Amino acid sequence: MGRNSSPDVISPVEESGDLGFRVRSLFKRNSHTDNQRNLGEEGDERDRRSDRQWRGRSLHNRGGRKGFQLKGTSLFYGAVFFAVVVFAVASILLQNSMTMIFRPGGERGRSLRDELKFGSSLKFIPARLLDRFTKQHGLDRLRTEARIAIRAPRLAIILGNMKKDPFSLMLFTVMKNLQGLGYVLKFYAIEDGQAHSLWEQIGGQLSILSPERLGHVDWSIFEGVIVDSLEAKEGISSMTYKEVASFCGIRGIELGREDDSDPLSYPSASSAWDLMQEPFCSVPLIWIIQEDILAKRLPVYEEMGWENIVSNWRKDFSRADVVVFPDFSLPVNVPSYNLTLITNTCYWLLSLYEAFLYRFSINILLPCQMLYTVLDTGNFFVIPGSPVDVWAAEIYSKSHSKYQLRKDNGFHNDDLVVLVVGSSFFYNELSWDYAVAMHAIGPLLIKFTRRKEDGASFKFVFLCGNSTEGYNDALQEVASRLGLPHGSIRHYGMNGDVNSVLLMADVVLYGSFQEEQGFPPLLIRSMSFGIPVLAPDLPIIRKYVVDGVHGILFQTNNTDTLMRGFSLLISDMKLSKFAHLVASSGRLLAKNMLALKCIAGYAKLLENVLHFPSDALLPGPISQLQQGVWEWNLFNNEMEQRGSDKDFDQMSSSMRKSSVVYALEEDLASLNNTRSILENETDILMQEYPTQLDWDVLRELETSEDFERREMEELEDRMERTSGSWDEIYRNARKAEKLKLEANERDEGELERIGQLLCIYEIYSGVGASTFLHHGSLYRGLSLVSFLDSEFLDISTRARRSRSDDVDAVGRLPLLNDTYYRDLLCELGGMFSIANRVDTIHKIPWIGFQSWRAAGSKVALSIEAENVLEKMIQSETKGDVIYYWARLDMHSEVTGSNDVPTFWSLCDIFNGGNCRTAFEDAFRRMYALPPHAEALPPMPEDGGHWSTLHSWVMPTPSFLEFVMFSRMFVDSLDSLNNNSSNTCLLGSSEPEKKHCYCRMLELLVNVWAYHSARRMVYMDPLYGSLKEQHPLEQRKGFMWAKYFNFTLLKSMDEDLAEATDDNDYPSQRWLWPLTGEVHWQGIYDREKEERYRQKMEKKRKTREKLLERQKHGYKQNPLG
């Protein structure tokens, strides 16, 4: 409420023979006036201080009055005829002038004339999102397919608002119903608050996202993240002082801060925890915006030129897959357009009825406030429904008396007050809605306001516009022209106490004929106060309100139905019994009117936005939602307390003073000032820029100095010099060696690794995962992301950690430059990069790997486990062994069955039900087995653990053998995928198809280790306890050792290398040569011959040089 504004148009029509016009022009020359007036509550000192600080001029330019008067009975009938014709034209144009269908993003730039089509109405249509949802078909197709899953879908909820208010009530109701559909919820909060225990009722333990914890949340384990409130901006992105300065084009050192890492009011981005960094930027994000505080500040930013603040918010909004608003007025923008649609004849007709259509032929002003449109990147969406109006009415009713309010405002207790309200898009000024309403209820005004019985009278109140702009004078002018009693018409502004005006009313008349997408919020609040309502039979109102039950509906094109409806509610200058019944039914309806629609809207949105992997259960269908009511019972105590305290609207105004909107505004505004000062200093320096003559003189000086320097060097070479003492020679040699090594100074961790037996490479795929990595000599990072590979790249974004010796996998293996294959191979691609020329990077006997996701899943090695592992490696002298600590079944949540899933059944679950088929086909192709031969290696069902997440340790030679096997298997698997038209059969969701091979390749090490007779030892990651799995004695008769024999694998590897050397590619896209080194005996022999040829060539040149000197003697080259 109170978000938008509209011009004032008034037309008085007298019942007598005189037709009088008096027009108050309320159109403002300055388009920012309306925005500035409604930036927040009028009493908000923060807004006024901020605005006065940056404004040096007044923004209030008010139009004057103009008018004329026509008299005479002869003109009356002609005027009435013209009035009817013009009103018909005005009604048509009014209904059809708002023809611009709002499209998000760049699709909004077309001319209004191109968009005008009669028969349309004001609508917000998220075309891009709707097209996307239509193509995805939701979950309809997946529900018809067979599906085996072991866990429920997970949702993370980031709470920016921890108060018990209507915003929390809406979110709590939605989340509780989503939980009933099968979602598992995990709640995070930016800060603690009074609603802590409330959220724990449905989500278990609530985690506070403190700066120490922010970098240790693995968002990738969730199917989606829901962010509530603008205050949760810190859960999406964070900026250090240096980044803010860089974002504004200013260096931190210029601002007088030596410590660039000093944060603003946000956690440091060096923690890399935000959702805009890889690998979390692909997690679906839904941002719910219920406040309009930022919308009220955006016009100020644009007026003051603070584009950096707008850009910062737009960047954060663009991260969200969907930004959800509870009201259609929030995401739209209706600017003012000059529109010439009416002919000169029509303009002459309009001039006779100018009070209704003031300069209509020249200007159609639709000054809806900008709100959030400037931040729209095509992801805005509206799910109508919020208990905020019911909440406000309930609280206000408990703390205020209708009798006292009437007395304070000069109404008699027996007066019958009729309140006229209009569309939510035109709250802030007298709009066309009120002009049409005045015309429609003209006979009603004349009939009832002149009636007085026992001191009681009818009072018509118009709620619109601004109470300080003289609208009341305009309405009183209408009353006098109509011959209405003095005081029978009053005006209250939307900038005042709206609840008091509603509570004083006996009947509420909704006077707008505009078709809207959402149910009018003022009607909901009126019904919540227990006031009977009269409304036109618009589709959105008929959808919820039953005529004669919850309210009275009248036909928009028949004013007689309005008169009849009004008569049903009034009996003997009082509300009839029927009116009280209607009011009671309307109040019950309003309390939970849009609850079911809101809940179902979010459930449907999640089905369209989220990706459900193969191992996740599908949520229940929306048809399971039966009880569509807000969870009032959990908030009753809070409402009682608020009702005895103070008005909800006033509390909302005071609560927002600590908003992140103001925090960011103050910081970036100060940076703007500094930048302006620096720009002025730069302009002064630019005036002293050297001329061309200065450059010529400087060039001559440099040339002369260079000539003198070279001349002195030649003279020194010709002069005899003493060699100096041995100490000086030694010091100079050490100095040169030190300077040479400084450029290649090694990391402290690398120096500590010298002499160790083990190095564990932690594989990560983006700066967002860097906080999950370990430091120290035992670990070394392995980055899978190139330098400029992030979609949301900030100023400080890096692919690798600073001050570390992390390995660049992309640089070591060119194949990983191709994002297609990097996504297909995932962590195994990093292993291929280490194995490629392994001697240049890894020269110790043991090697290990650990995915960054192990720390996110709480299965990374503890310090105690690390010590146990190092001791075991030192004592391991015989046999081959693999140690692993991430179990395959660690997140299994199998329900409804007592059967423990087997290795291959789990593999099927994780890979769309096609793991066995794909593995068998790839294995058969790899070894060229006949079609009738068994090609799926058996895996025992002995209850032991299997490895996952690429978290294991083994001897380096064993690792190279595993890579040799994996390269051939991946090549065979890729060949099958290419033959199937690039359709991934190992996943059902889009992320799974993008990372097609990843989940199968995580399990590949188990098949290789089991059938190659490696001992498999599971280590508890917390305590370091060891237990051998699948003992060798029990594998006899099950192992396919002949297929995993090193000699066979080596010969197969050499055959492939020979084919590569001969350019005998089996297919155009052959993956194997790109995954590592290519070697066979022929290459060794050719390299040996090449080295021998180079050696002999060098000897020949040396011999020829000696013969040349013997023949012609040695000649010194001349100096100079």
Side-chain angles (χ1 to χ4, degrees):
M1 292 180 13
R3 296 187 182 102
N4 309 327
S5 57
S6 175
D8 159 39
V9 186
I10 305 172
S11 175
V13 182
E14 283 198 70
E15 195 177 29
S16 62
D18 292 338
L19 177 65
F21 294 87
R22 183 173 181 83
V23 179
R24 173 175 294 274
S25 175
L26 298 175
F27 299 104
K28 305 299 182 295
R29 296 179 181 177
N30 193 321
S31 62
H32 297 294
T33 306
D34 304 326
N35 295 333
Q36 175 61 24
R37 188 186 304 117
N38 298 284
L39 292 177
E41 295 294 335
E42 295 294 329
D44 196 324
E45 293 296 330
R46 181 186 293 271
D47 287 357
R48 291 203 293 267
R49 288 199 306 269
S50 178
D51 297 343
R52 286 199 301 266
Q53 182 179 359
W54 303 104
R55 285 181 173 79
R57 55 184 177 85
S58 173
L59 297 177
H60 299 283
N61 300 321
R62 304 183 179 182
R65 297 171 179 258
K66 64 178 182 177
F68 58 89
Q69 190 170 7
L70 298 173
K71 296 183 179 180
T73 306
S74 59
L75 186 61
F76 173 71
Y77 294 105
V80 170
F81 172 76
F82 290 144
V84 173
V85 173
V86 171
F87 180 76
V89 175
S91 298
I92 295 174
L93 291 175
L94 175 62
Q95 294 289 346
N96 302 290
S97 61
M98 295 197 228
T99 57
M100 185 174 184
I101 296 178
F102 295 96
R103 297 180 175 87
E107 302 177 41
R108 201 186 301 108
R110 298 173 59 185
S111 170
L112 180 65
R113 291 186 178 88
D114 299 336
E115 298 290 344
L116 281 173
K117 295 180 182 178
F118 288 101
S120 301
S121 58
L122 182 64
K123 290 185 178 180
F124 169 76
I125 299 180
R128 188 180 304 176
L129 288 176
L130 292 179
D131 291 343
R132 171 185 166 189
F133 297 163
T134 303
K135 294 177 182 178
Q136 292 178 347
H137 305 292
L139 297 180
D140 296 337
R141 179 183 58 84
L142 291 178
R143 286 196 173 106
T144 61
E145 300 175 353
R147 189 180 188 90
I148 303 176
I150 59 175
R151 65 173 181 86
R154 309 185 187 107
L155 282 178
I157 319 296
I158 302 178
L159 303 171
N161 174 28
M162 287 293 288
K163 302 179 178 65
K164 288 186 177 181
D165 56 20
F167 303 138
S168 297
L169 172 58
M170 187 280 291
L171 187 65
F172 183 87
T173 303
V174 172
M175 293 301 110
K176 186 174 182 180
N177 282 271
L178 291 179
Q179 189 180 51
L181 291 178
Y183 291 96
V184 173
L185 308 178
K186 173 60 180 176
F187 289 93
Y188 300 90
I190 301 300
E191 59 183 7
D192 205 352
Q194 56 182 295
H196 187 117
S197 59
L198 188 71
W199 293 112
E200 287 187 339
Q201 293 182 22
I202 58 174
Q205 183 178 1
L206 184 144
S207 302
I208 306 299
L209 292 176
S210 59
E212 297 78 15
R213 178 176 170 76
L214 286 172
H216 298 85
V217 179
D218 182 8
W219 304 108
S220 65
I221 67 174
F222 300 102
E223 271 64 64
V225 177
I226 297 178
V227 179
D228 171 57
S229 174
L230 290 170
E231 303 303 311
K233 176 184 185 294
E234 300 177 13
I236 298 177
S237 70
S238 57
M239 300 177 69
T240 61
Y241 187 87
K242 178 180 179 180
E243 289 171 324
V244 173
S246 301
F247 193 73
C248 301
I250 308 171
R251 291 181 302 167
I253 192 65
E254 291 173 339
L255 298 175
R257 290 205 184 192
E258 297 179 358
D259 183 11
D260 293 340
S261 63
D262 186 22
L264 295 172
S265 57
Y266 315 110
S268 172
S270 60
S271 63
W273 57 275
D274 57 60
L275 284 159
M276 299 184 73
Q277 302 283 4
E278 286 284 0
F280 305 130
C281 63
S282 59
V283 178
L285 175 66
I286 297 174
W287 196 351
I288 303 174
I289 307 294
Q290 301 188 67
E291 317 96 318
D292 60 357
I293 175 175
L294 176 60
K296 295 176 179 179
R297 300 303 297 166
L298 286 174
V300 179
Y301 303 157
E302 291 209 338
E303 180 182 354
M304 302 310 302
W306 295 348
E307 180 59 30
N308 54 340
I309 302 181
V310 178
S311 299
N312 181 265
W313 279 106
R314 187 183 296 115
K315 176 176 67 71
D316 290 341
F317 271 49
S318 66
R319 166 58 185 94
D321 292 75
V322 182
V323 179
V324 183
F325 299 95
D327 191 334
F328 284 99
S329 64
L330 285 172
V332 302
N333 173 28
V334 187
S336 299
Y337 291 98
N338 291 330
L339 187 62
T340 303
L341 290 176
I342 306 175
T343 63
N344 292 332
T345 304
C346 199
Y347 176 72
W348 176 71
L349 297 176
L350 291 173
S351 65
L352 294 178
Y353 209 54
E354 189 179 10
F356 262 111
L357 300 171
Y358 174 68
R359 295 174 64 191
F360 191 82
S361 61
I362 300 177
N363 294 296
I364 296 177
L365 293 181
L366 308 175
C368 285
Q369 199 171 10
M370 178 177 59
L371 300 184
Y372 289 104
T373 309
V374 70
L375 306 179
D376 187 9
T377 59
N379 57 354
F380 280 10
F381 197 74
V382 175
I383 298 179
S386 173
V388 62
D389 291 297
V390 182
W391 180 290
E394 293 284 346
I395 291 180
Y396 199 86
S397 299
K398 289 180 173 62
S399 57
H400 295 78
S401 167
K402 186 171 186 174
Y403 171 80
Q404 187 64 38
L405 288 174
R406 286 195 171 204
K407 182 178 179 181
D408 295 342
N409 286 272
F411 290 103
H412 193 273
N413 193 38
D414 294 329
D415 289 342
L416 200 147
V417 180
V418 179
L419 176 64
V420 182
V421 298
S423 170
S424 60
F425 287 96
F426 300 103
Y427 278 159
N428 289 1
E429 293 191 9
L430 293 173
S431 67
W432 297 112
D433 285 342
Y434 295 93
V436 175
M438 288 286 289
H439 175 82
I441 68 174
L444 191 70
L445 291 171
I446 297 172
K447 177 180 179 181
F448 287 99
T449 55
R450 294 178 179 177
R451 294 174 56 184
K452 283 193 175 183
E453 297 180 9
D454 299 329
S457 62
F458 278 85
K459 305 292 184 181
F460 282 81
V461 177
F462 286 81
L463 179 61
C464 58
N466 193 318
S467 59
T468 62
E469 292 297 320
Y471 298 127
N472 188 59
D473 296 339
L475 287 172
Q476 295 304 323
E477 184 70 22
V478 173
S480 64
R481 294 296 178 184
L482 292 174
L484 305 180
H486 179 71
S488 59
I489 292 182
R490 290 196 186 184
H491 167 262
Y492 288 89
M494 294 297 298
N495 61 322
D497 189 354
V498 175
N499 290 325
S500 66
V501 181
L502 292 172
L503 187 57
M504 287 189 297
D506 293 298
V507 178
V508 171
L509 170 62
Y510 187 71
S512 174
F513 297 156
Q514 286 293 328
E515 293 188 7
E516 301 182 22
Q517 292 173 280
F519 197 91
L522 271 183
L523 277 188
I524 297 179
R525 189 169 294 201
S526 302
M527 296 165 69
S528 301
F529 275 114
I531 304 171
V533 297
L534 286 92
D537 57 346
L538 300 175
I540 189 63
I541 297 179
R542 289 201 312 267
K543 183 177 180 180
Y544 298 98
V545 176
V546 179
D547 187 18
V549 178
H550 308 116
I552 302 298
L553 304 183
F554 62 88
Q555 299 176 11
T556 56
N557 56 355
N558 188 352
T559 56
D560 291 339
T561 59
L562 172 60
M563 297 291 292
R564 288 195 298 268
F566 200 90
S567 300
L568 291 174
L569 300 178
I570 306 299
S571 176
D572 297 331
M573 292 297 293
K574 296 181 180 180
L575 289 179
S576 64
K577 293 183 179 179
F578 176 73
H580 289 290
L581 290 176
V582 168
S584 178
S585 299
R587 184 171 187 175
L588 292 176
L589 173 68
K591 188 165 187 178
N592 299 292
M593 178 187 297
L594 300 176
L596 182 60
K597 183 177 180 63
C598 177
I599 297 167
Y602 278 100
K604 187 65 176 178
L605 178 65
L606 291 177
E607 290 184 2
N608 288 318
V609 174
L610 303 186
H611 303 290
F612 296 91
S614 302
D615 62 321
L617 296 166
L618 297 181
I622 299 176
S623 58
Q624 292 184 3
L625 298 173
Q626 298 177 353
Q627 188 176 3
V629 296
W630 307 115
E631 297 289 336
W632 294 107
N633 56 319
L634 298 175
F635 289 80
N636 285 334
N637 293 335
E638 183 67 20
M639 294 179 66
E640 292 289 343
Q641 182 180 354
R642 291 282 183 90
S644 61
D645 191 359
K646 56 181 178 179
D647 182 27
F648 165 71
D649 292 332
Q650 295 177 354
M651 293 192 70
S652 298
S653 177
S654 61
M655 289 174 186
R656 64 190 180 90
K657 292 185 178 180
S658 61
S659 170
V660 68
V661 175
Y662 291 109
L664 183 64
E665 177 181 324
E666 291 174 359
D667 291 321
L668 293 186
S670 63
L671 293 176
N672 266 329
N673 263 0
T674 308
R675 182 174 62 178
S676 300
I677 297 173
L678 293 175
E679 288 176 351
N680 294 334
E681 293 178 353
T682 304
D683 293 339
I684 297 174
L685 293 175
M686 288 293 290
Q687 298 175 3
E688 301 179 358
Y689 194 80
T691 63
Q692 184 61 37
L693 179 61
D694 296 332
W695 288 116
D696 294 338
V697 173
L698 180 61
R699 190 178 298 107
E700 292 180 359
L701 291 175
E702 291 177 347
T703 303
S704 175
E705 292 176 355
D706 183 61
F707 177 79
E708 292 179 357
R709 179 182 56 78
R710 285 190 286 113
E711 187 177 24
M712 292 299 297
E713 290 177 355
E714 293 177 358
L715 290 175
E716 289 179 359
D717 290 340
R718 296 183 181 184
M719 295 174 60
E720 294 184 0
R721 292 178 299 176
T722 57
S723 300
S725 63
W726 284 108
D727 292 338
E728 293 178 358
I729 296 174
Y730 179 74
R731 280 197 302 270
N732 291 335
R734 290 293 302 271
K735 184 178 180 180
E737 184 179 356
K738 182 179 179 181
L739 292 175
K740 181 179 179 181
L741 291 176
E742 280 182 355
N744 299 317
E745 186 176 356
R746 291 181 288 183
D747 179 75
E748 181 179 352
E750 183 181 358
L751 295 175
E752 292 178 355
R753 279 192 293 274
I754 297 177
Q756 287 193 348
L757 298 177
L758 170 65
C759 176
I760 299 177
Y761 295 90
E762 290 192 292
I763 311 171
Y764 66 102
S765 55
V767 68
S770 61
T771 54
F772 294 92
L773 307 183
H774 295 75
H775 297 275
S777 60
L778 183 62
Y779 297 96
R780 189 175 186 183
L782 179 59
S783 173
L784 293 177
V785 182
S786 58
F787 181 72
L788 296 175
D789 199 42
S790 179
E791 180 180 357
F792 298 95
L793 185 66
D794 288 328
I795 299 299
S796 64
T797 300
R798 294 294 183 268
R800 285 176 287 167
R801 294 178 295 175
S802 59
R803 300 180 181 179
S804 68
D805 64 334
D806 291 356
V807 180
D808 181 11
V810 179
R812 289 187 55 82
L813 189 64
L815 173 67
L816 299 181
N817 279 308
D818 188 341
T819 55
Y820 171 76
Y821 280 111
R822 189 166 73 238
D823 292 336
L824 285 180
L825 300 176
C826 299
E827 285 93 343
L828 191 63
M831 298 182 188
F832 287 167
S833 70
I834 295 295
N836 188 33
R837 303 185 308 278
V838 65
D839 292 338
T840 62
I841 192 171
H842 186 85
K843 301 179 180 180
I844 52 182
W846 286 78
I847 188 171
F849 292 89
Q850 179 172 265
S851 172
W852 68 270
R853 292 176 294 150
S857 301
K858 312 300 181 186
V859 291
L861 290 178
S862 64
I863 297 178
E864 183 178 353
E866 292 172 2
N867 295 331
V868 172
L869 181 60
E870 290 180 327
K871 292 179 180 179
M872 291 301 301
I873 287 175
Q874 292 175 358
S875 61
E876 190 69 40
T877 57
K878 51 190 291 186
D880 212 343
V881 63
I882 172 175
Y883 297 96
Y884 58 95
W885 49 90
R887 298 191 337 237
L888 177 59
D889 56 345
M890 60 181 174
H891 291 311
S892 298
E893 302 167 7
V894 183
T895 58
S897 175
N898 295 324
D899 297 333
V900 178
T902 64
F903 175 85
W904 288 118
S905 62
L906 284 173
C907 188
D908 278 337
I909 291 172
F910 292 138
N911 292 277
N914 296 311
C915 175
R916 302 185 208 215
T917 303
F919 197 100
E920 186 175 8
D921 292 343
F923 197 85
R924 176 178 286 108
R925 189 182 187 282
M926 174 180 172
Y927 288 98
L929 300 177
H932 59 82
E934 177 67 27
L936 184 67
M939 302 297 284
E941 301 178 15
D942 54 6
H945 300 313
W946 301 102
S947 173
T948 189
L949 294 181
H950 294 293
S951 299
W952 42 258
V953 165
M954 66 176 67
T956 301
S958 299
F959 165 70
L960 297 177
E961 184 178 338
F962 167 65
V963 169
M964 185 188 303
F965 169 79
S966 300
R967 288 178 60 193
M968 290 183 285
F969 181 83
V970 169
D971 173 64
S972 179
L973 183 63
D974 186 64
S975 300
L976 294 173
N977 190 49
N978 292 336
N979 294 335
S980 59
S981 303
N982 292 330
T983 300
C984 179
L985 301 177
L986 299 177
S988 57
S989 63
E990 289 301 322
E992 285 181 317
K993 294 177 180 179
K994 179 182 178 182
H995 304 284
C996 186
Y997 308 157
C998 296
R999 305 189 82 172
M1000 177 185 284
L1001 297 181
E1002 280 188 23
L1003 309 180
L1004 186 62
V1005 68
N1006 296 283
V1007 180
W1008 171 82
Y1010 182 86
H1011 290 280
S1012 62
R1014 261 74 180 183
R1015 289 176 53 220
M1016 305 178 69
V1017 179
Y1018 171 73
M1019 169 179 284
D1020 185 278
L1022 183 60
Y1023 303 106
S1025 59
L1026 301 173
K1027 183 178 181 180
E1028 184 174 355
Q1029 307 293 313
H1030 324 293
L1032 292 175
E1033 297 78 13
Q1034 299 178 9
R1035 300 187 202 177
K1036 294 180 180 180
F1038 294 97
M1039 291 191 301
W1040 288 11
K1042 61 179 181 180
Y1043 293 113
F1044 295 86
N1045 182 270
F1046 175 75
T1047 304
L1048 175 62
L1049 294 176
K1050 182 62 177 176
S1051 64
M1052 293 171 60
D1053 184 82
E1054 291 184 352
D1055 291 342
L1056 294 174
E1058 185 176 2
T1060 304
D1061 194 30
D1062 295 338
N1063 292 325
D1064 184 15
Y1065 285 20
S1067 62
Q1068 185 178 1
R1069 227 173 68 177
W1070 191 19
L1071 182 59
W1072 183 85
L1074 306 176
T1075 55
E1077 295 180 274
V1078 178
H1079 285 298
W1080 70 290
Q1081 189 61 38
I1083 295 178
Y1084 291 143
D1085 295 340
R1086 188 165 60 250
E1087 290 179 351
K1088 183 178 180 180
E1089 292 177 359
E1090 179 64 20
R1091 288 194 297 270
Y1092 180 77
R1093 188 192 63 78
Q1094 291 177 357
K1095 179 180 178 181
M1096 298 307 296
E1097 180 68 16
K1098 183 177 180 180
K1099 286 185 177 181
R1100 184 186 63 80
K1101 290 182 178 181
T1102 303
R1103 192 181 302 108
E1104 289 179 354
K1105 186 182 294 185
L1106 291 174
L1107 291 175
E1108 183 70 18
R1109 288 182 179 180
Q1110 291 177 1
K1111 182 177 180 180
H1112 301 286
Y1114 178 79
K1115 293 183 179 180
Q1116 182 179 0
N1117 293 329
L1119 299 176

